[in-house]
Amino acid sequence: MSGLSATRCGLPKESVAENGAPPRGKVLTIDTMNPTVKMVEYAVRGPIVQRAVELEKELSEGRKKPFQEVIKANIGDAHAMGQQPITFFRQVLALCSYPELLNDSTFPEDAKSRARRILQSCGGNSMGSYSASQGIDSVRQDVARYVQQRDGGVYCDPDNIYLTTGASDGIVTMLKLLVCGEGASRTGVMISIPQYPLYSAALAELGAVQINYYLNEEACWSMDIGELQRALDEARGHCNPRALCIINPGNPTGQVQNRKCIEDVIRFAAKERLFLMADEVYQDNVYADGCEFHSFKKVLFEMGPEYSNTVELASFHSTSKCYMGECGFRGGYMEIINMDDEVKAQLTKLVSVRLCPPVPGQALMGLVVNPPQPGEPSHENFMKERTATLSALADKARLTEEVLNTVPGISCNPVQGAMYSFPRISIPEKAVKEAAGQGQQPDMFYCMRLLEETGICLVPGSGFGQKDGTYHFRMTILPPADKLKILLSKVKEFHQRFTKQYS
Amino acid sequence: MSGLSATRCGLPKESVAENGAPPRGKVLTIDTMNPTVKMVEYAVRGPIVQRAVELEKELSEGRKKPFQEVIKANIGDAHAMGQQPITFFRQVLALCSYPELLNDSTFPEDAKSRARRILQSCGGNSMGSYSASQGIDSVRQDVARYVQQRDGGVYCDPDNIYLTTGASDGIVTMLKLLVCGEGASRTGVMISIPQYPLYSAALAELGAVQINYYLNEEACWSMDIGELQRALDEARGHCNPRALCIINPGNPTGQVQNRKCIEDVIRFAAKERLFLMADEVYQDNVYADGCEFHSFKKVLFEMGPEYSNTVELASFHSTSKCYMGECGFRGGYMEIINMDDEVKAQLTKLVSVRLCPPVPGQALMGLVVNPPQPGEPSHENFMKERTATLSALADKARLTEEVLNTVPGISCNPVQGAMYSFPRISIPEKAVKEAAGQGQQPDMFYCMRLLEETGICLVPGSGFGQKDGTYHFRMTILPPADKLKILLSKVKEFHQRFTKQYS
């Protein structure tokens, strides 16, 4: 926030009226507002999505369009694309919302016992009470048990678990703790390019320095230590690099990092004294043969005490993705490893100002980490629903890659995990020029045209970052199979038409 | 964040190890973390509450104490103190969580129609979908209708309604937009003393200047324009005052400002070019005869176009207080008046980064502004529950004032509204000295002693701010009547004992 002249943020030109009459001109204008907020960008809900909403409105008003419906593949919003909630989770949430239902014999016993456990941990047995700012104790205990089991027994301390308002809240809170310094000693944070724009938005708002490291598209969006080193060395001159963010499985790029890569990254972070932030919200979304999710924490502890006792790590999870897709509840947690005790006390104080994360989201997070067990009445149906959702996603991941790779001028890495493909698209020189003429990024121009001509809403690669001179779009694999097929064939037709027109 | 030396936030002393072995020392320490976060304080969940939690644990482990239970009167957490949720609200939330219940004949039709309306506005008819970042359209429309009716027909535009994650979220977001400038042109924000510490915490974190104006305890915590002018004039030298925050009904002081006072404040804001922030989350919590809630917006528009066309105002409401007390759902909204269009676009962009407020909280906010209407099946029971809760609070407000004023050395203004009394307490010189010896504020020392001896948890006045040399505590009126009586008599006994001991 340095370098702002007093005039820009000082009193507006008009002198203050002394006669008590209201003076002209606003107190808060684009010139006198927080300049870091102006630097924030968030493509996932940017202009293209606003236009998609307008088009839906125009269609509903009967306006003629070259398409019957808008298909949104811009955001990882599973239920909006027709994915069904997990019955057990919703039964427990209904029981917690209206406990009279605990007397309803149609609800299974395991749902009732989960609901009782949650309500007993709520003040006055009500989800309407504030929880502890760090989150409901019993939920944090269940999260710890889940993480420990996931990581092959590596100990997880419930005191290191903080429940959050979705993963975004935890990520921004951690970045907030890390930001400090002015000028050349300002905190720098390494993020992948392509990235999920929450990171660039938060860093802009916090006035931190964004350090870009590029994922290797040629090697299926893998991380390359040489590239991390290059980015870090170039940054050292003008900022103080203190943190390294990894999204695995990847958003927007859909890769799953292998164990060796994660080890190398941990070694790099240890050597370069970087705080690791592992965004692992897609940990159950792994589709490709031979791919497996490895949590940073598990790998860290398997590397032995010289790493597990020193490397500082925050890992983030959420109710919004995986097989549950419960975005609207804004549930999540973060686990912090090797955090300095005084800093941890500051973190606990900081989260207390916002009182607590939403309790229904906390309850849902608690169910995700403590689902029906074998022998419980709801187990069979839970597994059926979970498996059906994940295998449908796996099928759509394969279908997306296959179809896009049949299009000349589109090349798509395998969607190994997460919920997105990030194909590279060739855009003819003529189109690049026309985009420039309209002051648009070429892939924004491309996606806008796609939307206007086909009703398909994708996000341009420029919203996530990409190597100069390359163009991409991010597309979710969430639409139902039949709609996804239509979407892919329309993209195929459009790309051929677009390429022909501008060649 | 200016004035930080590079050494404080630069690389820690130890040189970076080049041999790849992890170096000693943490990346993130109390000395290298965000300095503005360290300045944040939040008394409502401070050390006294942490001690109360410890004491509860010790009691549960059978440790002997001079009391059987800890009574928490530190936070406005109604359900935790036994207040019952509104049946209708919880029925609708259960229906929205588990729509299969729409086929259950035991649920009333008006609850089902509300649930259908909410679900139809959710993507895929699921509360698990992200909503629009500004909030669910139909809920914003219902909020607008409610506000317009509340304000005697003054027009309310749904486009000016932003749903939020509790009121705190909206308040911090608005302050974030207002913060700008460096040194003497840094944004200053006027807040009442005593204040609700969210304001001081947010201003500290944002690096803005806190401008204190004192409420007039002698005149029942009313606002005094002369005092506003004094505070503003003294601040003008070293910062750029841009906003004025008012909490009405008052937290922690429980006053209800009259119409004349609000008019004067609006005139003052217009004259001095201040953005008004009206924290009106207690708008249904008015108990005293002759007191009435006047929204800033209504008064602003009744003052005529020279004010209603110019004065910038943000008003905040929440599901957490009033008769519903649904804190855990983190629901709320803000209405913005006369905001510059470009700034509004920036606000909409900013909230989009966090995707959306929790949908169950949005649904609940929608129910609060659209409760059962006369003739609907749930209306009678809704009114019964609402009235019972509010009249019980009114009784407890009177009881608290009466009993506290019988104690020599305690003087308590009438609890006209909100959920708190903020009595002034006399603390003997000896006790002040002993507190100083322990590095504690005298009223913190007093409240800690009260907690250890009686199990009663209150918040010291110093956590909210008070005139130098005066001491207070904040106490909620939320405990059930029988417990409140015990609490008040214990406070009475303690104060007499404490005064005797230190005289």
Side-chain angles (χ1 to χ4, degrees), chain A residues 1-52:
Chain A
M1 301 201 27
S2 58
L4 298 167
S5 74
T7 50
R8 269 191 70 204
C9 295
L11 283 170
K13 306 291 160 288
E14 318 88 296
S15 66
V16 175
E18 296 302 342
N19 58 4
R24 281 177 296 314
K26 305 269 185 199
V27 174
L28 186 59
T29 69
I30 196 76
D31 295 326
T32 63
M33 69 175 282
N34 188 333
T36 66
V37 169
K38 280 186 276 188
M39 285 154 53
V40 167
E41 284 180 17
Y42 189 68
V44 175
R45 292 201 153 181
I48 200 131
V49 183
Q50 289 160 24
R51 179 58 186 151

Side-chain angles (χ1 to χ4, degrees), chain B residues 230-308:
Chain B
R230 176 206 63 76
L232 185 71
D233 294 344
E234 287 180 16
R236 276 258 154 82
H238 56 88
C239 71
N240 175 17
R242 305 184 65 201
L244 169 56
C245 301
I246 304 97
I247 311 174
N248 178 54
N251 176 8
T253 37
Q255 81 283 14
V256 178
Q257 303 296 1
N258 62 41
R259 197 183 182 295
K260 161 89 171 54
C261 165
I262 292 169
E263 262 188 43
D264 294 342
V265 170
I266 291 172
R267 240 178 246 107
F268 176 81
K271 166 170 159 287
E272 301 292 350
R273 303 178 52 76
L274 297 169
F275 192 109
L276 277 174
M277 291 179 53
D279 182 339
E280 299 177 323
V281 299
Y282 298 98
Q283 54 190 264
D284 295 331
N285 298 108
V286 177
Y287 316 118
D289 299 339
C291 285
E292 195 187 337
F293 170 71
H294 304 275
S295 79
F296 267 76
K297 184 191 178 189
K298 180 169 191 278
V299 175
L300 175 65
F301 277 75
E302 288 172 351
M303 287 169 70
E306 67 170 324
Y307 294 96
S308 62

Side-chain angles (χ1 to χ4, degrees), chain A residues 9 26-27 32 40 45 79 90 97 126 128 133 176 180 182 205 240 242 312 327-328 338 349 355 359, chain B residues 1 9 26-27 32 40 45 79 90 97 126 128 133 176 180 205 242 312 327-328 338 349 355 359:
Chain A
C9 295
K26 305 269 185 199
V27 174
T32 63
V40 167
R45 292 201 153 181
H79 291 195
R90 295 309 197 89
S97 300
S126 169
S133 299
K176 195 177 280 176
C180 132
E182 292 286 307
E205 193 187 317
N240 175 19
R242 305 184 66 200
E312 294 152 78
C327 311
N338 291 323
K349 177 193 72 179
L355 297 160
V359 172
Chain B
M1 300 206 22
C9 296
K26 306 269 185 199
V27 174
T32 64
V40 168
R45 292 201 153 179
H79 291 196
R90 295 309 197 90
S97 300
S126 170
S133 300
K176 196 178 279 175
C180 137
E205 194 188 316
R242 305 184 65 201
E312 294 152 78
C327 312
N338 291 324
K349 177 193 72 178
L355 296 159
V359 172

Side-chain angles (χ1 to χ4, degrees), chain B residues 122-145:
Chain B
C122 293
N125 299 319
S126 170
M127 282 206 299
S129 300
Y130 292 119
S131 75
S133 300
Q134 194 173 347
I136 297 171
D137 286 355
S138 68
V139 172
R140 291 192 295 111
Q141 287 156 17
D142 292 349
V143 169
R145 201 175 301 106

Side-chain angles (χ1 to χ4, degrees), chain A residues 47-242:
Chain A
I48 200 131
V49 183
Q50 289 160 24
R51 179 58 186 151
V53 173
E54 285 171 19
L55 285 169
E56 278 180 320
K57 198 159 167 299
E58 293 176 13
L59 279 173
S60 69
E61 292 162 352
R63 300 267 296 275
K64 269 230 122 337
K65 297 285 165 195
F67 47 86
Q68 271 59 54
E69 66 167 335
V70 173
I71 304 180
K72 291 214 195 84
N74 60 291
I75 185 169
D77 191 2
H79 291 195
M81 301 311 293
Q83 184 180 308
Q84 291 306 301
I86 297 291
T87 302
F88 179 78
F89 294 168
R90 295 309 197 89
Q91 288 174 325
V92 178
L93 287 169
L95 290 161
C96 291
S97 300
Y98 187 51
E100 279 69 7
L101 291 170
L102 287 164
N103 308 319
D104 183 332
S105 58
T106 64
F107 282 82
E109 274 314 312
D110 48 356
K112 290 181 180 178
S113 66
R114 291 298 193 296
R116 285 191 198 94
R117 174 170 165 81
I118 292 164
L119 291 173
Q120 279 158 13
S121 337
C122 293
N125 300 318
S126 169
M127 284 207 298
S129 301
Y130 292 119
S131 75
S133 299
Q134 195 173 346
I136 298 171
D137 286 355
S138 68
V139 172
R140 291 192 295 111
Q141 288 157 17
D142 291 350
V143 168
R145 201 175 301 108
Y146 162 87
V147 170
Q148 189 160 328
Q149 196 167 31
R150 180 200 70 190
D151 292 342
V154 175
Y155 176 65
C156 180
D157 183 346
D159 287 347
N160 290 339
I161 302 296
Y162 285 72
L163 299 183
T164 59
T165 306
S168 306
D169 172 46
I171 291 164
V172 172
T173 300
M174 270 312 308
L175 290 173
K176 195 177 280 176
L177 289 179
L178 282 157
V179 169
C180 132
E182 292 286 307
S185 72
R186 240 185 343 155
T187 292
V189 176
M190 302 184 72
I191 65 171
S192 63
I193 297 296
Q195 58 126 4
Y196 174 56
L198 168 72
Y199 290 88
S200 51
L203 294 174
E205 193 187 317
L206 292 166
V209 178
Q210 174 178 328
I211 304 172
N212 296 336
Y213 67 87
Y214 289 86
L215 299 173
N216 184 352
E217 180 167 17
E218 287 61 38
C220 201
W221 300 114
S222 59
M223 285 175 81
D224 176 71
I225 300 302
E227 166 60 11
L228 287 174
Q229 191 71 61
R230 176 207 62 78
L232 185 70
D233 295 344
E234 287 181 16
R236 277 258 156 80
H238 58 88
C239 71
N240 175 19
R242 305 184 66 200

